[in-house]
Amino acid sequence: MSAVLPILPVTKFRVPRLREGTVARAALLERLDDSTRVHPVSVVCAPGGSGKTTLLAQLAEAVRAAGDACVWIAIDQEDDDANRLFATLVQALEPLDLAWETPPRELAARVIGAGAETRAALAAAVNALCTSVAPRVVLVLDDFHRVTRPDVGTVVESLVERLPDHVAIVIGTRAEPALPLARWRVHGEVGEFTLTDLRFTEGEALELAGIDRLDGRGETGEPVMEALRRTQGWAVGLSMLLHAGQAAPAIARGRAQALAARGEAGQRKLFAYLAQEVLGLLPHELQDFALRCSILAELTPGLCAAVTLRDDAAEMLDELYRRDLFLSVVDEQGPVLRFHDLFREFLEAELSRRLPGEVQALHERAARAEETSARAIHHFLAGELWDEALWLILRVGESLVAAGAITTLERWIDQVPEHVRRNDAHVSYLRGSCAWLRWDWARARRELAPTTVALKAPLEAQSRVRAYFMLIDALTSSGEVAEAWRRLDDLAALPLDDLGQAEHALLRAWCRAAEGRPAQVAEHMRAFVELAERNPALVCPVTAGRIHCLLIGLPGIDDVFDRFVAATRNVPIGGHAPWELAALAIEGWVHLWHGDAGNAQAVVERAEVMQQQFGSIRLIGERLGQLRAMHAAARGKHDEALAIARRHVDGMRAPELAPHRAVWLRAYQHGLARMLWMAGRDADFLAMGPALTAPRTDQEWGWVEVAADVSRGQAALLRGQPRDALEPLERACASYADHCLPSVFCDPRITLAAAWTALRERRRAWECFEPLYRGAVERDEYGTLLLDSRRHLAAVLDGLPADVREAPPTVRLRERLLAWTRGVDGGTARVAGPLARLTEREREVLAAVAGGAGNKHIARALDLSLHTVKRHIANILDKLDCASRGQAAEIYRRTAQN
């Protein structure tokens, strides 16, 4: 095998060559072509051997002849994975020379499952498709029956829902795909072609037999009509009867049955017929050649020679093709041929029956001759050559992790018996990497811990350091801070470059925050930013997504975030779109903390545009979401802020986040409670009391107890019991310096000042509030004031000593706070829930969708073009984080009811 193994073979994207003499089927082709012009998706669904691929190849030829673009993808078993399918799509689109706003390979790396990251990546692909110079683009997905995973079907559904007007998808499949066909039928958005449509007509059968249609009713055409009746127009059965081993005698003997290949019995009959009437009529030498080559996905002279050990493989392939033995040409230059799926399945079954002792050796030869890693691994696994399979999996594993293809990687590893991969540190490293990307902290810890000891060779140094980083992050995220510290000390003993030292400093700061030691947090954060300033090109693009914005506002580190933002401006990190988005989120937090309404608004708007274009890695997306929620709340857009906060809390209940939930669910709940406190939703806030004040678990950090006391004090104040608020708030103030997280819960000093003000103890109120007042007017630290209840803050400001209340700094402070809420009394601030994120026109479109209207009806009702309607729907799905219009409609109906 070659030194570098590409993941995707280019032959997946080549349209099979049509045989000379292929029946044109003009009427059927015209109907399919018309369907692609009217419907966003067309489905050709029929059993194997019905002529689907031939029809789709004819369509591709016709589309290209008309000056339009046709993109072909032959789906294989490896495409039953969201990441792999998206990567396949990206590579298939390369010839269109689209304008991608972020490198498409980076988009593919973010696709895992069918979540928000995948939908955002799809949105970016759709944006790229909009730049196509071709007036029409037809994307063909052949052999779609190989897609069985629900999340992969959801990816295709999301793509269809977002398609621009000039792009259509055509699906070829043996079974009805798990897509929302019923909904698409109601809205007239799908064209369907079944076995009935693909059956050969009398005229087409005569043309296939080479008989003039005028003679069809004479003696010459009688055998053809008999074959047509017996096969019911089924393409491969008709072709076999007419061409395999002297058609007329075969028809006359009546050996053929109407084999529709439905069910196991039908397949047994078909295989029996193929064995007797097709394979059995070949010379013995050619039979053996076909059987041995059946293990190959694609047939080339070189691969066939390697598998069969024959020097005349090219001539044998030519003979098989000359005999019309169910072969299609994928590439004429090679040449590269492919058995029809149905015939290949038959040949493989016959190979296992006739030559069972050769199967393993054949797969081994194929694996060693293959030039693509995926196919070579498939052959090693199929031949149960476990050591060889594992060697190659390990060789390409890290590149798959980097590309986000963790489902494929895990599936390959799981096929290797446990006793073969047991105690292999490289396997544990890859499995741990996959678990870490899935936030499966328990499995990540279990797999990665031994690798930090076992990976000792010089060439394994980078993997060892990465294993440490993932392990420590998993430990800290699980609340196991003491063990994380022990691992950090081990990591410090390794040779680290500037990036390694910077990440090490970030991890130490995070662990110190867990322990409630803000002075040490500041020390490590300053060490980190010095490394970022010294080597910004190396450090900033990677660490932007690792900086915990929860630390902003901690004593002594305000300037760290300012300095990091300044350092990122010296780095052209546009090639790292996710990290640029993370850096933008940090910049937004800086402006919010300093009370800079104009720049904060500009950054949030830029970030929202980038997120729609580029998507997001989970952590980056959530940090941006937290910023957007805080920014909206500070501006008085409380419905929008609450919608984001509720989505975060609901997201933490996902099954895959169960290990993460024990430590961090409370943080998201306090974030939601803060939004309720700021919005004046007193009843909803009080209803959250039990969740906010439940006893701290062993895994949770110390700030949980401080936040619980703040919540108790706020609740007492809302119930009109300010004196009852004093004790928990004073207790919170005593511990706040060590356990403050201003981005999660409110500063207790503001609420305590409000309680003293309610008790007419204005001097004590000023003692509590003065440090925050000085921070705002002297150091521009407005974040704490902006992210609290304005009514309680107003009461505190109104109760300030007269000389302070009327002083110019106080007047400026009030004006600064007021600037954040100007212009939000109407518009989206009055729209309920998640609909606040939509424009007025988008809400009109969504209302029509919820009412059951199709795109054409919406276009007529709102006087819009069909293309504009589709773009509105694509924007709605992205903003509401929905996979389908059905989900968006349900959100609309639920919100309208409330």
Side-chain angles (χ1 to χ4, degrees), residues 309-356:
L309 304 179
R310 296 186 64 107
D311 295 331
D312 60 348
E315 291 77 9
M316 298 293 280
L317 275 177
D318 286 341
E319 180 63 16
L320 286 176
Y321 186 72
R322 187 188 67 78
R323 289 173 176 262
D324 196 13
L325 206 66
F326 308 109
L327 282 166
S328 57
V329 177
V330 179
D331 182 2
E332 296 189 33
Q333 299 299 317
V336 181
L337 296 91
R338 184 184 293 136
F339 278 125
H340 185 287
D341 282 352
L342 206 60
F343 191 60
R344 183 184 169 200
E345 289 172 16
F346 155 70
L347 289 175
E348 285 191 288
E350 282 294 291
L351 174 66
S352 297
R353 187 178 67 85
R354 295 189 189 185
L355 305 170

Side-chain angles (χ1 to χ4, degrees), residues 426-499:
H426 298 93
V427 172
S428 295
Y429 171 73
L430 291 176
R431 288 170 64 87
S433 300
C434 294
W436 183 75
L437 285 171
R438 295 189 187 280
W439 288 19
D440 187 345
W441 308 130
R443 186 159 64 95
R445 297 197 310 269
R446 186 170 62 251
E447 297 286 356
L448 292 170
T451 68
T452 60
V453 177
L455 298 175
K456 293 181 177 179
L459 293 178
E460 298 169 341
Q462 282 190 333
S463 296
R464 188 182 187 189
V465 170
R466 281 195 291 268
Y468 264 112
F469 284 136
M470 290 184 287
L471 175 60
I472 294 166
D473 185 71
L475 288 166
T476 310
S477 299
S478 302
E480 298 184 26
V481 181
E483 178 63 15
W485 270 117
R486 190 177 72 79
R487 297 290 183 173
L488 274 167
D489 291 339
D490 293 342
L491 176 60
L494 299 179
L496 301 174
D497 59 8
D498 282 351
L499 174 58

Side-chain angles (χ1 to χ4, degrees), residues 25 28 31 46-47 50-51 194-202 204-205 228-235 238 258-260 262:
R25 314 199 73 181
L28 178 59
R31 285 174 53 208
S50 299
T194 65
L195 177 61
T196 301
D197 299 289
L198 270 65
R199 295 187 194 279
F200 269 59
T201 64
E202 290 184 1
E204 290 168 344
L228 184 65
R229 184 184 68 79
R230 289 181 176 276
T231 61
Q232 299 178 23
W234 178 49
L238 185 63
L259 306 173
R262 290 186 179 273

